[in-house]
């Protein structure tokens, strides 16, 4: 996965050194487990030819025997591991929340946030009282300046983020410096196309959204007819904003979204949004420049401010408060929130509150809860294993770069320099975030959420005058994911993903290389995908390719786009090969690198079968079972619009069709449905 980052699920290995084998061998003895089948034929559908549908061959029986639980929108390897991690977090939270701790301590803030979230009696009694003062404040606005000032106030006080998105982060062309940045926003549905398309599936979502607006306003005491009128007002404003937004595909080019302005100059393009005055209101002082992701959006939004009556903007602002708070108010609001979410995703029943609140604590105080998680569930042995794997994978990827037939020596040298400069983060931060100044009150759930949001905002703006803190993480330790961040040129693997089916001390090398090895390779390859390749060794957005090599890369990338565009997900819906290009390149590169690294191991040199499978078959089956999954149709359709990752079955199937070793391992021949001629197999990294 790439976070401007890039992540796995959102996801590289070289042969283990002698010292690495010693570490792994010792730890295998220390972590004895009952024998298990890491590749279990009972989960496979052996009636399917691997060359016809490798995903079904590897996972077919498991999918048939494991229906999606009602509280899930998809279910498979990631879902199971997420559930296991949630259970671990619940065990920690149930313990820490039942006793008192010194005020301000890690345990007090984690335990009391969870306790406040689980105090449903108090939450139910309050109804929507926590947001009444905000709604009353909005009622008092009487002009456009009041609307704009309210937008800034809500943002700085942890209440809402209407109209646009604002943040602080590294300047892509000066990655050691933090800078304020503005980006398009202001809408509620997951993607601009949810507003702009008129097919039956889109209209159904639009109708469900309007009903959601109606339901929430009625819960505040508004009459039905007025609530319906509000829904139309809000939808029309948001549809206009959606029309002005860039598509997700357009925003994949970092040069398109890098637009640096003097604050005074940008203000001239938005005469009703005077950023010279507004930036101090947003607690951003002394900044004469800022980055704007989509300047055209802000011009359109500025025009909309005067074209729309102040009364309509007040309705829109109230809606932003309502939608942002609904999941945190009483059961009637929570149900309305879930009903709309279910319409989008197909989820059948609400996730149990304790699980939702465990994830909320992780999302709010991830590096406090993460310390408890790591202390109990993450071993130094797992971290050392990953250190060795990553180092060895870097060697293998370097070898593959050196041997690329299509790349010039000049570009190879720069690519190798970038690879050598990778920063690697494993398990958990070396420097924990302390959340200094964040107050958590055991008896004030809604206030806690507001204080968390306000703390995050204040922390962000406090970084503007400081160098980029490259010790910070973009994910919490329990997260089942991994990512690459191009401006830091770093690959990051939280502790949560370092478990089976990705990794297990008792597994053979083929299983671990096909799992966590491909994860590592995936993240490394993100440094050289269509976006990552535009950042150089120190994270600067700067072209380091020869023109000829860039053209050769684009030719190969276009082949990947075409391969994925051909995949049908639902009825007429196809995978968006351009939206998913970065992840697809990373899957292909990561699997190639992991396989090349696996072949350097002792098992990689042998032909000894395990449970009837050769080492190479074990490797590719391990890769496929990582993607063991099924999903609800509604979720599948929504992911096509918003998710830069291809659906799981294509992540399992598509990369292997371009790897010669897979054909040999499973005797895939012409006539098999997945067969590609050798000359048609795509070779990039």
């Amino acid at each position: 996965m790439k976070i401007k980052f890039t992540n796995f699920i959102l996801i590289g290995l070289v042969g283990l050194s002698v010292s690495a084998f010693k570490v792994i061998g010792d730890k295998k003895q220390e972590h004895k487990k009952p024998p298990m089948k890491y590749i279990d034929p009972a989960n496979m559908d052996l009636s399917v030819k691997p060359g016809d549908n490798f995903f079904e061959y590897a996972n077919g029986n498991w999918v048939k025997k494991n229906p999606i639980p009602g509280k899930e929108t998809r279910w498979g390897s990631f879902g199971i591991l997420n559930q296991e991690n949630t259970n671990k977090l619940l065990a920690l939270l149930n313990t820490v929340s039942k006793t008192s701790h010194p005020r301000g301590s890690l345990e007090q803030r984690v335990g009391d946030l969870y306790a406040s979230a689980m105090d449903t009696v108090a939450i139910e009694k309050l109804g929507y009282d926590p947001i009444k003062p905000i709604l009353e404040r909005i009622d008092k606005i009487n002009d456009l300046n009041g609307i704009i000032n309210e937008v800034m106030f809500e943002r700085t006080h942890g209440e809402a983020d209407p109209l646009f998105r604002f943040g602080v982060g590294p300047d892509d062309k000066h990655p050691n410096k933090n800078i304020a940045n503005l980006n398009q926003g202001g809408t509620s549905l997951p993607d601009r196309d949810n507003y702009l398309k008129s097919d039956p599936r889109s209209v159904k979502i639009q109708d469900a959204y309007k009903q959601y607006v109606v339901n929430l306003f009625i819960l505040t005491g508004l009459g039905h007819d007025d609530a319906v009128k509000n829904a139309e007002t809000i939808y029309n404003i948001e549809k206009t904003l959606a029309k002005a937004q860039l598509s997700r595909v357009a925003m994949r080019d970092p040069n398109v979204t890098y637009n640096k302005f003097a604050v005074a100059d940008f203000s001239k393009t938005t005469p009703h949004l005077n950023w010279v005055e507004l930036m101090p209101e947003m607690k951003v002082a002394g900044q004469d420049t800022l980055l704007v992701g989509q300047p055209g959006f802000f011009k359109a939004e500025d025009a909309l401010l005067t074209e729309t009556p102040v009364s309509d903007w007040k309705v829109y602002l109230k809606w932003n408060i309502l939608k942002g708070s609904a999941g945190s108010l009483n059961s009637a609001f929570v149900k309305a929130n879930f009903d709309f979410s279910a319409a989008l995703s197909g989820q059948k029943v609400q996730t149990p509150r304790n699980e939702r609140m465990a994830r909320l604590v992780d999302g709010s105080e991830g590096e406090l809860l993460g310390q408890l998680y790591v202390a109990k569930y993450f071993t130094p042995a797992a971290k050392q294993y990953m250190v060795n794997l990553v180092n060895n994978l870097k060697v293998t990827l370097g070898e593959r770069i050196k041997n690329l037939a299509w790349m010039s020596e000049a570009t190879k040298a720069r690519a190798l320099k970038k690879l050598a400069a990778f920063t690697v983060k494993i398990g958990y931060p070396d420097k924990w975030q302390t959340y200094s100044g964040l107050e958590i009150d055991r008896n004030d759930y809604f206030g806690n959420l507001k204080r968390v949001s306000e703390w995050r905002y204040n922390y962000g703006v406090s970084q503007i005058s400081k160098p980029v803190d490259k010790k910070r993480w973009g994910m919490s330790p329990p997260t089942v994911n991994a990512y690459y961040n191009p401006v830091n040129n770093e690959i990051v693997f939280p502790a949560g993903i370092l478990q089976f089916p990705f990794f297990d001390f008792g597994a053979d090398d083929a299983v671990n290389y096909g799992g966590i090895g491909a994860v590592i390779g995936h993240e490394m390859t993100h440094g050289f995908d269509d976006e990552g390749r535009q950042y150089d060794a120190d994270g600067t957005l700067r072209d380091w390719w020869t023109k000829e090599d860039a053209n050769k890369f684009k030719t190969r990338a276009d082949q990947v786009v075409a391969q994925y565009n051909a995949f049908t997900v639902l009825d007429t819906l196809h995978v968006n090969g351009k939206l998913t290009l970065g992840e697809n390149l990373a899957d292909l590169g990561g699997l190639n690198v992991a396989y090349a690294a696996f072949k350097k191991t002792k098992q990689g040199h042998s032909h000894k079968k395990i449970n009837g499978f050769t080492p190479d078959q074990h490797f590719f089956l391990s890769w496929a079972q990582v993607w063991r999954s099924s999903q609800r149709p509604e979720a599948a359709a929504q992911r096509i619009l918003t998710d830069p990752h291809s659906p799981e079955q294509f992540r399992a199937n598509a990369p292997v069709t371009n790897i010669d070793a897979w054909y040999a391992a499973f005797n895939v021949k012409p006539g098999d449905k997945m067969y590609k001629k050798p000359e048609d197999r795509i070779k990039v990294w």
Side-chain angles (χ1 to χ4, degrees):
M1 177 180 189
K2 187 158 56 256
I3 305 184
K4 187 149 158 229
F5 296 165
T6 226
N7 61 35
F8 177 58
I9 306 182
L10 263 185
I11 303 178
L13 293 188
V14 305
L16 289 170
S17 65
V18 173
S19 61
F21 277 121
K22 287 179 180 177
V23 170
I24 295 166
D26 290 341
K27 291 304 173 183
K28 281 183 179 178
Q29 293 175 4
E30 293 176 17
H31 293 75
K32 289 184 178 179
K33 295 181 179 180
M36 68 174 289
K37 291 182 179 179
Y38 293 100
I39 305 296
D40 189 347
N43 292 325
M44 302 168 64
D45 187 345
L46 300 177
S47 69
V48 176
K49 292 178 65 176
D52 282 348
N53 189 327
F54 191 55
F55 175 87
E56 289 292 333
Y57 170 75
N59 301 309
N61 281 346
W62 187 95
V63 172
K64 292 172 187 174
K65 295 175 183 177
N66 292 271
I68 303 171
K71 68 186 181 71
E72 305 289 345
T73 61
R74 49 177 163 161
W75 189 242
S77 297
F78 280 95
I80 292 169
L81 190 47
N82 270 316
Q83 183 64 59
E84 291 174 355
N85 270 3
T86 298
N87 293 342
K88 291 175 181 177
L89 294 181
L90 282 171
L92 294 168
L93 290 166
N94 285 329
T95 298
V96 76
S97 65
K98 284 181 169 53
T99 54
S100 61
H101 305 277
R103 186 147 192 88
S105 66
L106 179 159
E107 291 82 2
Q108 179 265 318
R109 290 185 288 173
V110 168
D112 285 1
L113 178 57
Y114 181 69
S116 73
M118 293 302 295
D119 188 357
T120 54
V121 173
I123 293 168
E124 199 67 24
K125 184 178 180 181
L126 285 171
Y128 79 102
D129 285 354
I131 62 171
K132 280 183 179 178
I134 306 175
L135 300 179
E136 291 168 357
R137 189 179 71 222
I138 293 171
D139 270 331
K140 296 176 182 177
I141 297 172
N142 53 31
D143 59 22
L144 182 57
N145 284 335
I147 295 293
I148 295 171
N149 290 335
E150 174 67 19
V151 168
M152 304 307 161
F153 184 89
E154 290 177 10
R155 179 167 271 104
T156 57
H157 288 76
E159 296 175 349
D161 297 299
L163 286 183
F164 58 87
R165 291 184 294 122
F166 169 78
V168 175
D171 181 334
D172 294 58
K173 294 191 177 182
H174 303 278
N176 293 319
K177 297 180 179 180
N178 281 311
I179 190 169
N181 55 78
L182 295 169
N183 283 281
Q184 64 189 29
T187 50
S188 302
L189 291 173
D191 190 78
R192 66 193 292 269
D193 283 359
N194 289 128
Y195 296 91
L196 306 182
K197 289 189 173 184
S198 57
D199 59 276
R201 185 180 287 112
S202 298
V203 171
K204 183 179 178 181
I205 289 173
Q206 292 161 11
D207 289 343
Y209 175 53
K210 292 175 185 177
Q211 186 61 51
Y212 178 43
V213 178
V214 170
N215 292 343
L216 289 194
F217 272 103
I218 287 176
L219 288 174
T220 68
L222 194 67
H224 179 271
D225 290 348
D226 287 335
V228 170
K229 182 180 177 182
N230 282 358
E232 287 299 325
T233 295
I234 292 159
Y235 185 81
N236 290 335
I237 288 174
E238 292 188 352
K239 184 175 181 179
T240 303
L241 294 175
K243 289 178 181 178
Q245 292 176 354
L246 290 182
S247 70
R248 291 175 185 266
V249 170
M251 290 191 294
R252 284 190 53 75
D253 186 343
N255 283 295
V256 168
T257 56
Y258 185 90
N259 304 283
K260 197 169 189 177
F261 288 88
V263 175
D265 289 341
F266 185 58
S267 294
K268 294 175 183 177
T269 71
T270 58
H272 303 95
L273 293 168
N274 185 340
W275 300 102
V276 174
E277 296 177 357
L278 295 178
M279 296 293 271
E281 282 191 41
M282 292 195 294
K283 302 185 178 181
V284 179
Q287 283 291 108
D288 57 0
T289 58
L290 77 166
L291 291 178
V292 182
Q294 306 80 20
F297 170 82
F298 286 90
K299 292 179 183 178
E301 186 169 70
D302 186 80
L304 185 63
L305 283 170
T306 56
E307 295 167 0
T308 304
V310 169
S311 58
D312 288 357
W313 282 121
K314 290 166 69 172
V315 170
Y316 170 81
L317 290 179
K318 287 183 177 181
W319 168 242
N320 275 265
I321 298 299
L322 282 170
K323 72 175 182 182
S325 307
S328 307
L329 299 173
N330 69 8
S331 56
F333 282 88
V334 171
K335 182 182 183 302
N337 179 262
F338 171 71
D339 288 345
F340 173 60
S341 173
L344 280 174
S345 68
Q347 187 174 341
K348 301 304 181 185
V349 298
Q350 176 82 299
T351 305
R353 185 173 184 90
N354 62 342
E355 295 184 13
R356 287 184 281 126
M357 296 306 105
R359 293 167 187 169
L360 180 141
V361 176
D362 183 42
S364 301
E365 303 174 319
E367 292 192 26
L368 297 183
L369 179 57
Q371 292 177 58
L372 301 178
Y373 175 88
V374 166
K376 186 165 185 178
Y377 297 114
F378 188 63
T379 67
K383 186 163 187 173
Q384 186 59 50
Y385 185 103
M386 283 292 290
V387 168
N388 289 316
L389 249 54
V390 170
N391 288 339
N392 290 322
L393 274 168
K394 286 177 69 175
V395 173
T396 295
L397 178 54
E399 291 169 352
R400 290 183 66 83
I401 291 172
K402 290 175 185 176
N403 292 325
L404 286 176
W406 59 268
M407 181 177 280
S408 70
E409 293 302 317
T411 305
K412 284 181 184 179
R414 298 185 188 107
L416 291 169
K417 180 181 178 182
K418 179 172 184 176
L419 176 64
F422 274 7
T423 296
V424 181
K425 297 177 178 177
I426 297 169
Y428 54 90
D430 294 327
K431 172 186 173 185
W432 292 100
Q433 176 64 267
T434 64
Y435 304 89
S436 177
L438 174 60
E439 295 284 340
I440 299 296
D441 185 335
R442 192 179 185 87
N443 301 307
D444 186 14
Y445 172 53
F446 193 87
N448 287 336
L449 298 185
K450 187 173 179 293
R451 284 186 289 275
V452 167
S453 181
E454 190 169 0
W455 184 91
R456 288 188 178 279
Y457 183 88
N458 288 333
Y459 176 79
V461 295
S462 75
Q463 299 303 299
I464 290 180
S465 60
K466 300 174 183 177
V468 172
D469 185 352
K470 298 195 175 184
K471 294 185 180 296
R472 294 267 66 86
W473 279 48
M475 291 177 179
S476 69
T479 304
V480 184
N481 213 327
Y483 68 89
Y484 170 75
N485 182 349
V487 291
N488 283 1
N489 195 26
E490 64 181 5
I491 50 177
V492 185
F493 307 96
I497 200 172
L498 304 180
Q499 304 173 70
F500 186 76
F502 299 100
F503 159 73
D504 190 275
F505 280 112
D508 55 289
D509 285 328
V511 168
N512 281 338
Y513 276 86
I516 198 64
V519 174
I520 298 169
H522 174 108
E523 299 308 338
M524 287 184 174
T525 304
H526 268 311
F528 306 97
D529 70 13
D530 61 308
E531 289 183 276
R533 75 173 193 86
Q534 299 187 64
Y535 293 81
D536 68 10
D538 68 2
T540 302
L541 180 58
R542 178 167 50 207
D543 190 2
W544 48 270
W545 292 63
T546 67
K547 184 177 180 180
E548 184 179 3
D549 288 340
N551 289 337
K552 289 178 180 178
F553 173 88
K554 290 174 184 176
T555 296
R556 285 159 176 76
D558 286 344
Q559 293 172 346
V560 174
V561 170
Q563 179 178 9
Y564 284 81
N565 276 342
F567 295 136
T568 303
V569 182
L570 291 170
D571 45 75
T572 60
L573 287 182
H574 284 250
V575 175
N576 186 334
K578 289 185 177 180
L579 177 62
T580 59
L581 177 58
E583 300 298 333
N584 298 335
L585 286 167
D587 280 347
L588 177 57
L591 191 59
N592 268 304
V593 173
Y595 178 76
F598 166 63
K599 296 307 287 182
K600 296 180 179 181
T601 68
K602 182 178 179 180
Q603 186 187 16
H605 286 119
S606 78
H607 300 282
K608 183 180 179 180
K609 292 185 177 181
I610 302 176
N611 296 326
F613 298 107
T614 68
D616 275 20
Q617 288 173 334
H618 248 215
F619 172 86
F620 288 110
L621 287 169
S622 177
W623 163 258
Q625 77 175 5
V626 162
W627 302 114
R628 178 181 294 159
S629 179
S630 55
Q631 62 182 328
R632 302 194 189 282
E634 297 90 341
Q638 197 57 51
R639 287 180 63 196
I640 289 299
L641 289 182
T642 61
D643 196 340
H645 307 88
S646 296
E648 285 79 0
Q649 66 267 38
F650 304 121
R651 299 191 73 173
N653 281 348
V656 298
T657 65
N658 297 303
I659 299 177
D660 298 341
W662 173 75
Y663 289 84
F666 294 96
N667 195 30
V668 179
K669 300 291 186 182
D672 293 344
K673 294 177 182 178
M674 291 175 59
Y675 179 84
K676 293 174 71 174
K677 295 177 182 179
E679 61 269 25
D680 293 335
R681 297 170 195 171
I682 306 167
K683 311 293 183 185
V684 187
W685 298 104

